Amino acid sequence: MRRSQTRILGIETSCDETAAAVVVDGELLESNVVATQIEMHQRYGGVVPEAAARGHLTGLVPVIEAALQRAGCDWGDLDAVAVTRGPGLAPALLVGLNVAKGLSFARGLPLVGVNHLEGHVYANWLHTHGGPTSAEDGRARALPPVAAAPAAQFPLVALIVSGGHSDLVLMEDQLRYRRLGRTVDDAAGEAFDKVARMLGLGFPGGPQIQRVAAQGDPTRFPLPRAWMRDSYDFSFSGLKTAVLREIERLKEPLPVSDLAASFQEAVVDVLATKTLQAVHEFGARQVALAGGVAANARLRERLQRESPVPVLIPPVWLCTDNAAMIAAAGYRRFQAGERGGLDLDIAPVWPIA
Ligand code: KG4
Ligand code: ZN
C-alpha cells in the first residue's frame, strides 16, 4: 500500500517574483514556477510595490495553473494551500494571500500562512525525485536535479540574507527559532544592490557584483567591517558610504572589478565570521544558508571551507524567492496543526523570532 502523502501548493508574492510550486511531504519538489518581474523593475532601478502587485494580479493564476500542470496533478490531489503572509510588500502580499484564500474556499482546501524567512530556511531540504521515472514522465521538466540534503540536526545556525533581511538565527527544533542578530540598517542584498548601482552595474546587484568581482582584487581597497561590538547584529550602511567615498575620490575610469571585489569581501567577511562565531558559542551541529545572498559564491566557499560542521546551501535557483520553500515550510506548519481562516491577514513586518 502506498504511504499517504501530503501534497501542498505553495504561493509566493511577497516581492517581485510571482511564484507557485507543488511539494510533497515538505521536501519532494514536483514543480516550481517563478515568473520574475525583473525587467519591469530594471527600468525603475528597484521594486515598486504597486507595480509588483499589478504584476502578481495578472500573473498569479497562470503561474498556479502551470505549477499544477507541471506537477501532473489536479486540485483533488492537493491537501492544502500554503501562502506567504509576510514579511514583504503589503500590496504584493495582498494579492497572493487573497488568491490563496479564494482557492482554499472554492476548492475546500485548508489554508496555511507562512513566514517568508522561515520559507527561505526550509528551502535547504527541498529535493527532486532523481531517478529516471521523473524525467520519463515529463514531470521533472524545467526542474534541475537536486539531491536530498542531510536531515536537520539541532541546534542549527541559519543565516538568512536577502534583499530585505539579514538575520542570524538559532534554530532549536523544527519551527523553533531564536534570533541572535539582525541588520540595524541595510540588508546584505540591499547593500549589494545599492553598490552595484553606484558602480553602474545592473539590477539585481548581487549577481553583477559577483560577476565583476571575479576579475578583481579583493584586497585593493581596505573597506570597513562593522563588527557591532561583537554582537550578532549587522550593519552595512557604513560600508556602502565608504564605497561611495572611494568612487568620489577615484578618477574615471573606475576600477569597478577591484571595488566590487573589495566590497564583496567585506560583506562576506562579516557574514561568515559572525555565523561561525555563533556555531562555536551555541554548539551548532549544522549551518543552513538561506535567502538570495546565499547564492553568493564567495560566501558559500568561505563557509564551506571554514565551518567545523556541515553547511547546507540550497541550489542557487532555490535561494532566491520561490514558492517551493513556502510549501516546504507550510508542510511543517500544516503537520503542526496550523490552519488559517478566511480572516487570515497579511503581515508585512514579521520577524522570524
Ligand atoms: O531572497 P531574495 O530573492 O529576495 C528577497 O526576499 O529579498 O533576495 C534577493 C537579493 C537581492 O538583493 C540580490 O542582489 C541578492 O539577493 N543576490 C545576491 C546574489 N544573487 C542574488 N547577492 C550576492 N551575490 C549573489 N550571487
Ligand atoms: Zn526572499
Side-chain angles (χ1 to χ4, degrees):
M1 199 179 76
R2 211 169 69 126
R3 192 173 69 92
S4 81
Q5 298 176 318
T6 302
R7 181 176 279 106
I8 294 189
L9 170 70
I11 295 176
E12 153 65 37
T13 65
S14 69
C15 190
D16 59 342
E17 319 279 12
T18 312
V22 175
V23 173
V24 171
D25 291 340
E27 296 188 357
L28 178 64
L29 190 50
E30 288 195 330
S31 69
N32 183 57
V33 181
V34 182
T36 179
Q37 302 178 8
I38 261 180
E39 278 165 35
M40 171 164 59
H41 301 307
Q42 269 166 350
R43 273 189 280 140
Y44 305 108
V47 178
V48 177
E50 286 70 23
R54 283 195 293 273
H56 296 316
L57 209 47
T58 52
L60 185 53
V61 169
V63 161
I64 291 170
E65 281 168 351
L68 290 180
Q69 197 214 332
R70 288 187 199 176
C73 75
D74 212 336
W75 288 101
D77 300 318
L78 294 175
D79 297 287
V81 177
V83 62
T84 308
R85 280 182 65 207
L89 306 170
L93 289 166
L94 264 178
V95 177
L97 184 65
N98 282 301
V99 167
K101 274 193 208 174
L103 291 173
S104 154
F105 188 70
R107 302 286 179 179
L109 289 166
L111 180 67
V112 185
V114 174
N115 181 303
H116 180 88
L117 302 171
E118 180 169 71
H120 274 302
V121 173
Y122 277 96
N124 275 288
W125 293 278
L126 285 166
H127 57 83
T128 52
H129 233 304
T133 45
S134 55
E136 275 164 17
D137 67 11
R139 287 187 185 192
R141 201 152 45 100
L143 279 185
V146 182
Q153 304 224 330
F154 305 106
L156 170 164
V157 169
L159 176 67
I160 310 168
V161 270
S162 71
H165 300 271
S166 301
D167 285 338
L168 193 62
V169 171
L170 187 68
M171 197 172 169
E172 293 158 320
D173 200 345
Q174 301 287 2
L175 307 177
R176 276 189 44 214
Y177 314 91
R178 194 166 124 200
R179 189 165 70 175
L180 304 175
R182 59 175 171 64
T183 181
V184 300
D185 42 55
D186 292 347
E190 196 180 350
F192 270 95
D193 294 337
K194 287 178 178 170
V195 168
R197 202 172 175 177
M198 292 189 248
L199 294 175
L201 303 168
F203 176 86
Q208 306 284 347
I209 298 248
Q210 178 177 316
R211 183 176 55 80
V212 300
Q215 267 79 53
D217 173 5
T219 62
R220 168 134 175 227
F221 300 101
L223 296 168
R225 274 91 166 132
W227 296 114
M228 307 300 285
R229 280 192 252 94
D230 288 333
S231 76
Y232 288 112
D233 285 339
F234 303 107
S235 164
F236 298 107
S237 79
L239 172 60
K240 186 186 64 189
T241 310
V243 175
L244 189 61
R245 294 270 145 72
E246 289 293 348
I247 293 174
E248 285 165 355
R249 191 178 62 79
L250 293 159
K251 294 191 185 59
E252 294 283 348
L254 281 179
V256 172
S257 304
D258 291 345
L259 280 167
S262 301
F263 163 77
Q264 177 177 264
E265 200 60 22
V267 176
V268 168
D269 201 12
V270 173
L271 294 177
T273 304
K274 286 186 186 274
T275 303
L276 295 173
Q277 244 167 29
V279 168
H280 286 112
E281 179 173 347
F282 298 99
R285 297 173 69 194
Q286 279 176 340
V287 170
L289 265 182
V293 182
N296 187 266
R298 181 73 185 124
L299 178 64
R300 292 167 168 247
E301 181 189 291
R302 260 203 69 177
L303 279 173
Q304 270 166 337
R305 183 148 36 83
E306 294 175 21
S307 172
V309 296
V311 180
L312 310 183
I313 315 177
V316 170
W317 57 278
L318 288 172
C319 281
T320 48
D321 288 351
N322 63 81
M325 67 187 202
I326 302 304
Y331 168 77
R332 298 279 167 187
R333 296 263 159 212
F334 181 75
Q335 290 295 94
E338 285 190 28
R339 301 290 183 270
L342 287 184
D343 58 347
L344 191 71
D345 206 354
I346 59 167
V349 179
W350 186 11
I352 190 167

